[in-house]
Amino acid sequence: MRPVAVRLLTVAAFSMSLAIAGIAIDPERSGMFVALPRGNYPDVHSDVAFRLTHERSEKPFVGNGVVRWVQVKEGPPESADCGIEFTQFD
């Protein structure tokens, strides 16, 4: 079995009513999986603007996307994951 490379990046996503911060796990060409801490979660199909930052890079990766799914995990501590499809890059 081959090891899988996982890239962890900090992500901030903003919609009209919500600001979220989480960890983007292995972003791909078409979108990203985001692990979210406890709190408010984005709505499915909501448009978001995002900013990906990495501690080794001075320039953030900025763009827009659409939340395609949200999965809330029950139990202490509550958390969630979401999938964001990229629609535009700045």
Side-chain angles (χ1 to χ4, degrees), residues 52-67:
L52 289 171
T53 56
H54 190 277
E55 61 188 27
R56 295 187 211 156
S57 177
E58 293 180 19
K59 186 176 179 183
F61 183 67
V62 180
N64 297 316
V66 176
V67 177

Side-chain angles (χ1 to χ4, degrees), residues 41-47 66-71 81-83:
Y41 306 121
D43 293 325
V44 174
H45 305 298
S46 61
D47 294 322
V66 176
V67 177
R68 291 298 179 197
W69 56 266
V70 176
Q71 178 181 15
D81 304 322
C82 75

Side-chain angles (χ1 to χ4, degrees), residues 16-39:
M16 293 296 285
S17 61
L18 179 67
I20 61 171
I23 302 294
I25 301 174
D26 201 21
E28 298 183 358
R29 175 178 260 181
S30 61
M32 63 184 156
F33 169 90
V34 181
L36 302 169
R38 182 178 180 183

